[in-house]
Protein backbone atom coordinates (compact mmCIF):
# COMPACT_ATOMS: atom_id res chain seq x y z
CA UNK A 1 0.00 0.00 0.00
CA UNK A 2 2.77 2.35 0.99
CA UNK A 3 4.64 1.42 -2.18
CA UNK A 4 1.61 2.24 -4.34
CA UNK A 5 1.17 5.56 -2.56
CA UNK A 6 4.83 6.41 -3.18
CA UNK A 7 4.49 5.56 -6.86
CA UNK A 8 1.47 7.85 -7.07
CA UNK A 9 3.40 10.69 -5.45
CA UNK A 10 6.31 10.26 -7.85
CA UNK A 11 3.95 10.23 -10.84
CA UNK A 12 2.28 13.41 -9.58
CA UNK A 13 5.66 15.10 -9.07
CA UNK A 14 6.72 14.14 -12.60
CA UNK A 15 3.51 15.51 -14.06
CA UNK A 16 4.01 18.76 -12.13
CA UNK A 17 7.55 19.12 -13.51
CA UNK A 18 6.35 18.48 -17.06
CA UNK A 19 3.60 21.05 -16.63
CA UNK A 20 6.12 23.58 -15.33
CA UNK A 21 8.56 23.01 -18.21
CA UNK A 22 6.62 25.01 -20.83
CA UNK A 23 6.33 27.94 -18.42
CA UNK A 24 10.10 27.92 -17.88
CA UNK A 25 10.66 27.70 -21.62
CA UNK A 26 8.69 30.93 -22.03
CA UNK A 27 11.39 32.92 -20.21
CA UNK A 28 12.67 35.46 -22.73
CA UNK A 29 16.19 36.84 -22.72
CA UNK A 30 16.59 40.09 -24.62
CA UNK A 31 20.10 41.50 -25.01
CA UNK A 32 20.22 44.93 -26.63
CA UNK A 33 23.48 45.46 -28.54
CA UNK A 34 24.45 49.13 -28.66
CA UNK A 35 27.80 50.93 -29.05
CA UNK A 36 30.25 52.89 -26.90
CA UNK A 37 28.82 54.45 -23.75
CA UNK A 38 29.61 57.99 -24.97
CA UNK A 39 27.61 57.61 -28.19
CA UNK A 40 23.87 57.65 -28.95
CA UNK A 41 23.25 53.90 -29.28
CA UNK A 42 24.01 53.17 -25.63
CA UNK A 43 21.60 55.58 -23.85
CA UNK A 44 18.93 54.75 -26.43
CA UNK A 45 19.54 51.04 -25.85
CA UNK A 46 19.11 51.51 -22.10
CA UNK A 47 15.80 53.29 -22.74
CA UNK A 48 14.69 50.49 -25.09
CA UNK A 49 15.48 47.83 -22.48
CA UNK A 50 13.33 49.74 -19.98
CA UNK A 51 10.48 49.87 -22.50
CA UNK A 52 10.81 46.14 -23.20
CA UNK A 53 10.87 45.28 -19.50
CA UNK A 54 7.63 47.16 -18.93
CA UNK A 55 5.95 45.59 -21.98
CA UNK A 56 7.21 42.07 -21.20
CA UNK A 57 7.56 41.70 -17.40
CA UNK A 58 8.69 38.08 -17.73
CA UNK A 59 11.59 38.99 -20.03
CA UNK A 60 15.12 39.46 -18.73
CA UNK A 61 16.50 42.51 -20.58
CA UNK A 62 20.16 43.52 -20.59
CA UNK A 63 22.16 46.15 -22.45
CA UNK A 64 25.60 45.45 -23.91
CA UNK A 65 28.12 48.13 -24.87
CA UNK A 66 29.93 47.13 -28.09
CA UNK A 67 32.04 48.51 -30.94
CA UNK A 68 28.71 49.23 -32.68
CA UNK A 69 27.44 48.31 -36.16
CA UNK A 70 29.73 45.56 -37.54
CA UNK A 71 30.23 43.83 -34.18
CA UNK A 72 26.50 44.07 -33.42
CA UNK A 73 25.53 42.41 -36.70
CA UNK A 74 28.05 39.60 -36.34
CA UNK A 75 26.85 38.98 -32.77
CA UNK A 76 23.23 38.84 -33.94
CA UNK A 77 24.11 36.37 -36.69
CA UNK A 78 25.76 34.18 -34.03
CA UNK A 79 22.67 34.38 -31.81
CA UNK A 80 24.53 36.35 -29.13
CA UNK A 81 21.93 39.11 -28.86
CA UNK A 82 18.31 39.67 -29.78
CA UNK A 83 18.18 43.26 -30.99
CA UNK A 84 20.82 45.74 -32.19
CA UNK A 85 21.47 49.20 -33.56
CA UNK A 86 23.33 49.55 -36.85
CA UNK A 87 24.09 52.03 -39.58
CA UNK A 88 22.31 51.42 -42.87
CA UNK A 89 25.45 51.04 -44.99
CA UNK A 90 26.87 48.47 -42.55
CA UNK A 91 23.56 46.61 -42.67
CA UNK A 92 23.66 46.47 -46.48
CA UNK A 93 27.27 45.24 -46.34
CA UNK A 94 26.33 42.54 -43.82
CA UNK A 95 23.37 41.31 -45.88
CA UNK A 96 25.52 41.13 -49.03
CA UNK A 97 28.64 39.81 -47.26
CA UNK A 98 31.27 42.53 -47.79
CA UNK A 99 34.53 41.16 -46.36
CA UNK A 100 36.22 44.59 -46.43
CA UNK A 101 33.49 45.89 -44.12
CA UNK A 102 33.96 43.02 -41.65
CA UNK A 103 31.49 40.44 -43.00
CA UNK A 104 33.22 37.36 -44.41
CA UNK A 105 29.94 35.82 -45.58
CA UNK A 106 26.39 37.20 -46.05
CA UNK A 107 24.59 37.42 -42.69
CA UNK A 108 21.29 35.92 -43.86
CA UNK A 109 19.83 35.32 -40.37
CA UNK A 110 19.39 39.06 -39.85
CA UNK A 111 15.89 40.56 -39.96
CA UNK A 112 14.71 44.17 -39.86
CA UNK A 113 12.62 45.83 -37.16
CA UNK A 114 12.62 49.55 -37.98
CA UNK A 115 14.40 52.51 -39.48
CA UNK A 116 15.38 54.78 -36.60
CA UNK A 117 17.12 58.17 -36.89
CA UNK A 118 19.86 59.57 -39.13
CA UNK A 119 23.53 59.39 -38.13
CA UNK A 120 25.28 62.57 -39.15
CA UNK A 121 28.90 62.17 -40.19
CA UNK A 122 30.46 64.91 -38.12
CA UNK A 123 34.11 65.78 -38.73
CA UNK A 124 35.22 68.10 -35.96
CA UNK A 125 38.64 69.76 -35.75
CA UNK A 126 40.14 71.96 -33.09
CA UNK A 127 40.21 75.62 -34.17
CA UNK A 128 43.95 75.69 -33.37
CA UNK A 129 44.64 73.01 -36.00
CA UNK A 130 43.83 75.37 -38.86
CA UNK A 131 41.58 72.76 -40.47
CA UNK A 132 38.59 74.24 -42.32
CA UNK A 133 38.09 71.84 -45.25
CA UNK A 134 38.51 68.14 -45.98
CA UNK A 135 41.68 68.93 -47.94
CA UNK A 136 43.13 70.66 -44.85
CA UNK A 137 43.05 67.32 -42.99
CA UNK A 138 46.05 66.10 -44.99
CA UNK A 139 49.03 65.75 -42.66
CA UNK A 140 46.87 66.04 -39.53
CA UNK A 141 46.21 63.63 -36.63
CA UNK A 142 42.72 62.14 -36.65
CA UNK A 143 40.57 59.52 -34.95
CA UNK A 144 38.15 57.58 -37.15
CA UNK A 145 36.26 55.40 -34.64
CA UNK A 146 36.68 51.77 -33.57
CA UNK A 147 38.08 49.49 -36.34
CA UNK A 148 35.35 48.47 -38.85
CA UNK A 149 32.66 50.18 -36.76
CA UNK A 150 29.96 51.98 -38.71
CA UNK A 151 31.80 55.22 -38.00
CA UNK A 152 35.08 53.93 -39.36
CA UNK A 153 33.40 52.60 -42.50
CA UNK A 154 31.82 56.05 -42.96
CA UNK A 155 35.28 57.60 -42.58
CA UNK A 156 36.75 55.38 -45.31
CA UNK A 157 33.90 56.18 -47.69
CA UNK A 158 33.96 59.97 -47.17
CA UNK A 159 37.75 60.30 -47.31
CA UNK A 160 37.95 58.15 -50.46
CA UNK A 161 35.30 60.33 -52.10
CA UNK A 162 37.33 63.41 -51.12
CA UNK A 163 40.50 61.95 -52.65
CA UNK A 164 42.11 61.12 -49.30
CA UNK A 165 43.47 57.88 -47.81
CA UNK A 166 44.58 57.09 -44.28
CA UNK A 167 48.17 57.35 -45.55
CA UNK A 168 47.58 61.08 -46.10
CA UNK A 169 47.23 61.69 -42.35
CA UNK A 170 50.11 62.19 -39.95
CA UNK A 171 48.44 59.81 -37.49
CA UNK A 172 45.26 57.70 -37.48
CA UNK A 173 43.69 56.51 -34.23
CA UNK A 174 40.89 53.93 -34.08
CA UNK A 175 39.15 55.03 -30.91
CA UNK A 176 35.61 55.33 -29.48
CA UNK A 177 34.07 58.79 -29.28
CA UNK A 178 34.92 59.56 -25.65
CA UNK A 179 38.59 58.61 -25.96
CA UNK A 180 38.94 60.59 -29.18
CA UNK A 181 37.61 63.69 -27.43
CA UNK A 182 40.02 63.27 -24.51
CA UNK A 183 42.98 63.16 -26.90
CA UNK A 184 41.73 66.29 -28.65
CA UNK A 185 41.40 68.08 -25.33
CA UNK A 186 45.01 67.14 -24.59
CA UNK A 187 46.15 68.46 -28.02
CA UNK A 188 47.18 64.93 -29.07
CA UNK A 189 44.74 64.88 -32.01
CA UNK A 190 43.69 67.55 -34.48
CA UNK A 191 40.33 66.09 -35.55
CA UNK A 192 37.79 63.36 -34.95
CA UNK A 193 35.15 61.86 -37.23
CA UNK A 194 32.06 60.77 -35.33
CA UNK A 195 28.99 59.26 -36.94
CA UNK A 196 26.13 59.88 -34.53
CA UNK A 197 22.93 61.77 -33.87
CA UNK A 198 23.15 65.55 -33.75
CA UNK A 199 24.18 66.86 -30.35
CA UNK A 200 26.06 63.68 -29.39
CA UNK A 201 27.39 64.05 -25.83
CA UNK A 202 31.04 63.46 -26.77
CA UNK A 203 31.12 66.43 -29.17
CA UNK A 204 29.11 68.62 -26.81
CA UNK A 205 31.77 67.88 -24.19
CA UNK A 206 34.56 68.72 -26.63
CA UNK A 207 32.96 72.01 -27.68
CA UNK A 208 32.78 73.19 -24.07
CA UNK A 209 36.51 72.50 -23.59
CA UNK A 210 38.14 73.73 -26.82
CA UNK A 211 37.11 75.88 -29.77
CA UNK A 212 35.96 73.62 -32.59
CA UNK A 213 35.40 73.76 -36.35
CA UNK A 214 32.92 71.44 -38.06
CA UNK A 215 34.43 70.44 -41.40
CA UNK A 216 31.91 70.65 -44.28
CA UNK A 217 31.11 67.53 -46.33
CA UNK A 218 29.75 68.95 -49.57
CA UNK A 219 27.18 67.48 -51.94
CA UNK A 220 29.78 66.69 -54.64
CA UNK A 221 31.77 64.56 -52.18
CA UNK A 222 28.62 62.71 -51.09
CA UNK A 223 27.76 62.00 -54.74
CA UNK A 224 31.22 60.49 -55.27
CA UNK A 225 30.64 57.97 -52.44
CA UNK A 226 28.31 56.19 -54.86
CA UNK A 227 26.10 54.64 -52.18
CA UNK A 228 22.45 55.72 -51.82
CA UNK A 229 22.75 55.18 -48.06
CA UNK A 230 24.73 58.44 -47.95
CA UNK A 231 22.50 61.51 -48.12
CA UNK A 232 23.14 65.25 -47.88
CA UNK A 233 22.25 66.87 -44.55
CA UNK A 234 23.04 69.84 -42.33
CA UNK A 235 24.40 70.35 -38.83
CA UNK A 236 22.21 73.28 -37.76
CA UNK A 237 23.80 76.37 -36.23
CA UNK A 238 24.28 76.20 -32.46
CA UNK A 239 24.12 72.41 -32.32
CA UNK A 240 27.43 72.72 -30.44
CA UNK A 241 28.84 75.56 -28.36
CA UNK A 242 30.55 78.18 -30.49
CA UNK A 243 29.08 76.85 -33.75
CA UNK A 244 27.54 80.02 -35.18
CA UNK A 245 26.64 78.76 -38.68
CA UNK A 246 24.98 75.72 -40.22
CA UNK A 247 27.40 73.26 -41.86
CA UNK A 248 26.66 70.86 -44.74
CA UNK A 249 27.42 67.22 -44.04
CA UNK A 250 26.34 63.68 -44.88
CA UNK A 251 24.02 61.37 -43.01
CA UNK A 252 23.25 57.65 -43.01
CA UNK A 253 20.07 56.16 -41.56
CA UNK A 254 20.25 53.94 -38.47
CA UNK A 255 18.22 50.74 -38.20
CA UNK A 256 17.05 48.48 -35.40
CA UNK A 257 17.51 44.82 -36.32
CA UNK A 258 17.07 41.33 -34.89
CA UNK A 259 17.57 37.76 -36.17
CA UNK A 260 15.25 35.04 -37.42
CA UNK A 261 15.55 32.97 -34.23
CA UNK A 262 13.75 35.52 -32.03
CA UNK A 263 10.05 34.53 -31.61
CA UNK A 264 7.47 36.39 -33.66
CA UNK A 265 5.46 37.42 -30.60
CA UNK A 266 8.56 38.83 -28.89
CA UNK A 267 9.52 41.02 -31.85
CA UNK A 268 5.90 42.12 -32.29
CA UNK A 269 5.79 43.26 -28.65
CA UNK A 270 9.19 44.97 -28.93
CA UNK A 271 8.16 46.88 -32.07
CA UNK A 272 4.77 47.91 -30.70
CA UNK A 273 6.19 48.94 -27.31
CA UNK A 274 8.90 51.09 -28.90
CA UNK A 275 6.52 53.08 -31.10
CA UNK A 276 4.06 53.52 -28.25
CA UNK A 277 6.80 54.90 -25.97
CA UNK A 278 8.85 57.16 -28.23
CA UNK A 279 8.72 59.89 -25.57
CA UNK A 280 10.87 57.63 -23.36
CA UNK A 281 13.47 57.35 -26.14
CA UNK A 282 13.44 61.12 -26.71
CA UNK A 283 14.07 61.61 -22.99
CA UNK A 284 17.14 59.38 -23.36
CA UNK A 285 18.48 61.27 -26.40
CA UNK A 286 17.13 64.04 -28.62
CA UNK A 287 18.12 62.05 -31.74
CA UNK A 288 15.01 59.93 -31.13
CA UNK A 289 12.83 62.88 -32.19
CA UNK A 290 13.54 61.71 -35.75
CA UNK A 291 11.98 58.25 -35.19
CA UNK A 292 8.54 57.91 -36.80
CA UNK A 293 6.56 54.77 -37.60
CA UNK A 294 5.56 56.32 -40.94
CA UNK A 295 9.19 56.19 -42.10
CA UNK A 296 10.17 52.95 -40.34
CA UNK A 297 10.37 50.94 -43.57
CA UNK A 298 12.10 53.50 -45.79
CA UNK A 299 15.36 52.13 -47.17
CA UNK A 300 15.17 48.83 -45.25
CA UNK A 301 17.89 46.75 -47.01
CA UNK A 302 16.80 43.30 -45.76
CA UNK A 303 13.58 41.36 -45.01
CA UNK A 304 11.44 42.37 -42.05
CA UNK A 305 11.09 40.03 -39.10
CA UNK A 306 7.54 38.52 -39.12
CA UNK A 307 6.89 40.05 -35.68
CA UNK A 308 7.67 43.56 -36.94
CA UNK A 309 5.66 42.91 -40.09
CA UNK A 310 2.67 41.90 -37.94
CA UNK A 311 2.80 45.26 -36.15
CA UNK A 312 3.06 47.28 -39.37
CA UNK A 313 0.12 45.40 -40.87
CA UNK A 314 -1.87 46.04 -37.70
CA UNK A 315 -1.36 49.82 -38.00
CA UNK A 316 -1.96 49.83 -41.77
CA UNK A 317 1.60 50.62 -42.83
CA UNK A 318 1.71 47.34 -44.79
CA UNK A 319 -1.42 46.32 -46.67
Amino acid sequence: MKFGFLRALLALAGATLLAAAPAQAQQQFITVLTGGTSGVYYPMGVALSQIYTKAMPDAKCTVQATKASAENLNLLQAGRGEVAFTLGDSLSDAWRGNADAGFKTPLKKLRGIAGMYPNYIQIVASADSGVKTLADLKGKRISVGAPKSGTELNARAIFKAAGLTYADFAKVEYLPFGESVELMKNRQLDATLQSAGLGVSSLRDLATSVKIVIVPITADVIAKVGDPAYQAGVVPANTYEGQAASVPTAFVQNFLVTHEGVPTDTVYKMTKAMFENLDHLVAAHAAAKAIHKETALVGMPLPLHPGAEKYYREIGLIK
Side-chain angles (χ1 to χ4, degrees):
M1 188 74 173
K2 286 182 180 178
F3 183 66
F5 179 68
L6 181 59
R7 284 177 63 185
L9 275 178
L10 288 171
L12 180 62
T16 303
L17 285 170
L18 285 171
Q24 291 172 346
Q26 293 304 309
Q27 171 75 61
Q28 290 293 320
F29 294 91
I30 300 173
T31 299
V32 184
L33 304 170
T34 59
T37 55
S38 57
V40 178
Y41 286 176
Y42 188 81
M44 209 169 283
V46 170
L48 262 187
S49 73
Q50 293 166 347
I51 290 170
Y52 295 160
T53 298
K54 188 175 179 181
M56 296 174 280
D58 293 334
K60 180 176 174 57
C61 298
T62 56
V63 180
Q64 184 175 330
T66 67
K67 293 177 183 176
S69 298
E71 182 179 12
N72 289 351
L73 296 172
N74 282 310
L75 286 171
L76 275 186
Q77 176 75 12
R80 294 169 57 193
E82 284 65 48
V83 62
F85 291 86
T86 179
L87 275 167
D89 56 330
S90 296
L91 187 56
S92 295
D93 286 335
W95 186 248
R96 293 194 309 264
N98 182 346
D100 290 338
F103 309 106
K104 295 178 181 177
T105 59
L107 306 190
K108 294 301 184 181
K109 292 182 181 179
L110 302 180
R111 295 292 182 268
I113 294 179
M116 299 291 276
Y117 63 93
N119 250 28
Y120 288 80
I121 301 170
Q122 300 164 80
I123 304 175
V124 178
S126 62
D128 291 345
S129 70
V131 172
K132 294 181 180 178
T133 68
L134 284 167
D136 293 337
L137 288 167
K138 198 167 185 176
K140 302 298 183 181
R141 303 164 299 171
I142 189 168
S143 176
V144 294
K148 293 191 176 177
S149 63
T151 291
E152 200 254 319
L153 295 177
N154 290 166
R156 290 192 208 183
I158 292 296
F159 292 144
K160 182 180 179 182
L164 296 167
T165 70
Y166 286 173
D168 290 318
F169 303 120
K171 184 179 184 180
V172 178
E173 295 282 5
Y174 300 85
L175 297 170
F177 295 172
E179 291 178 40
S180 302
V181 163
E182 289 306 312
L183 288 183
M184 285 190 69
K185 287 181 186 178
N186 294 329
R187 307 297 194 271
Q188 293 174 276
L189 281 178
D190 301 303
T192 177
L193 183 148
Q194 303 197 0
S195 187
L198 292 174
V200 61
S201 61
S202 53
L203 294 181
R204 287 205 317 269
D205 176 35
L206 177 64
T208 60
S209 302
V210 300
K211 289 185 177 180
I212 65 166
V213 172
I214 299 178
V215 181
I217 301 175
T218 54
D220 61 316
V221 170
I222 297 167
K224 287 176 185 174
V225 173
D227 185 337
Y230 288 77
Q231 297 290 317
V234 172
V235 182
N238 302 311
T239 298
Y240 301 104
E241 190 170 318
Q243 180 212 342
S246 296
V247 181
T249 193
F251 74 81
V252 177
Q253 187 76 348
N254 285 284
F255 289 88
L256 196 66
V257 293
T258 184
H259 63 78
E260 63 183 11
V262 182
T264 297
D265 188 56
T266 300
V267 177
Y268 166 76
K269 288 177 179 175
M270 289 195 298
T271 311
K272 180 181 173 72
M274 181 183 79
F275 282 112
E276 290 182 352
N277 293 277
L278 287 179
D279 56 334
H280 193 69
L281 288 181
V282 171
H285 200 284
K289 291 178 182 177
I291 303 173
H292 306 286
K293 59 189 176 186
E294 292 79 10
T295 57
L297 305 181
V298 176
M300 180 72 70
L302 79 174
L304 276 176
H305 190 284
E309 184 178 339
K310 178 183 175 183
Y311 172 72
Y312 295 127
R313 287 190 185 281
E314 188 177 90
I315 64 171
L317 203 58
I318 297 177
K319 302 300 181 185

